[in-house]
């Protein structure tokens, strides 16, 4: 993700507390929790970003209603090539299933990958819930 691209945010309630979804007009780039109450996207948010944020809110709501819901959103998490590989691995884990840090390290496996490095990549996940770091134990 280019550091110069404008981003827009929407804060919404969830069973985890307030979540703030941040997007460009084309991709979701971040999800944070701990915001203070629901806040609509700012009025100057472009229509494309408003539509994407609304769709993210709809899909998050569907996920919290049914934990087997599969997200279908354009994602652009900022991270290293290794982090991207770990996040791609997470996205492939089916709902209701888990994998170990060691399984992730083996699957990514270019050279000697330490399960601690996988844990660090999980912790750096900028789009938790949607990129399901909670499925790696």
């Amino acid at each position: 993700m280019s550091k110069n691209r404008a981003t827009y945010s929407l804060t919404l309630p969830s069973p985890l507390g307030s979540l703030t979804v941040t997007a460009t007009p084309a991709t979701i780039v971040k999800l944070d929790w701990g915001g203070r109450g629901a806040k609509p996207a700012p009025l100057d948010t472009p229509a494309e970003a408003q539509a994407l944020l609304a769709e993210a809110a709809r899909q998050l709501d569907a996920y919290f209603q049914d934990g087997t819901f599969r997200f279908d959103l354009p994602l652009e998490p900022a991270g290293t090539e290794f982090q991207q590989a770990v996040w791609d691995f997470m996205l492939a884990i089916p709902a209701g299933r888990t994998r170990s840090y060691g399984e992730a390290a083996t699957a990514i496996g270019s050279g000697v990958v330490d399960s601690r490095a996988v844990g660090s990549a999980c912790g750096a996940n900028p789009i938790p819930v949607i990129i399901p770091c909670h499925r790696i134990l």
Side-chain angles (χ1 to χ4, degrees), residues 2-71:
S2 168
K3 292 181 181 181
N4 299 355
R5 276 172 46 193
T7 59
Y8 308 90
S9 297
L10 169 69
T11 302
L12 54 134
S14 84
L16 302 174
S18 292
L19 297 177
T20 300
V21 181
T22 303
T24 69
T27 61
I28 303 295
V29 296
K30 191 172 180 185
L31 187 145
D32 291 307
W33 48 68
R36 302 208 185 270
K39 288 186 241 173
L43 294 176
D44 64 343
T45 301
E48 298 89 351
Q50 285 182 17
L52 181 55
L53 290 167
E55 180 60 15
R58 186 195 70 73
Q59 289 190 29
L60 282 161
D61 185 55
Y63 174 79
F64 289 122
Q65 298 298 318
D66 174 8
T68 63
F69 178 84
R70 186 160 176 83
F71 290 98

Side-chain angles (χ1 to χ4, degrees), residues 57-135:
R58 186 195 70 73
Q59 289 190 29
L60 282 161
D61 185 55
Y63 174 79
F64 289 122
Q65 298 298 318
D66 174 8
T68 63
F69 178 84
R70 186 160 176 83
F71 290 98
D72 182 21
L73 295 165
L75 306 177
E76 190 178 11
T80 66
E81 187 176 321
F82 176 75
Q83 289 170 329
Q84 298 285 340
V86 172
W87 301 333
D88 288 343
F89 177 83
M90 287 186 231
L91 286 166
I93 301 171
R97 305 298 287 269
T98 60
R99 301 290 184 267
S100 71
Y101 291 105
E103 287 174 302
T106 300
I108 293 162
S110 57
V112 178
V113 177
D114 187 308
S115 59
R116 291 174 293 187
V118 171
S120 292
C122 288
N125 176 7
I127 312 174
V129 181
I130 296 171
I131 298 177
C133 49
H134 56 280
R135 294 184 186 154

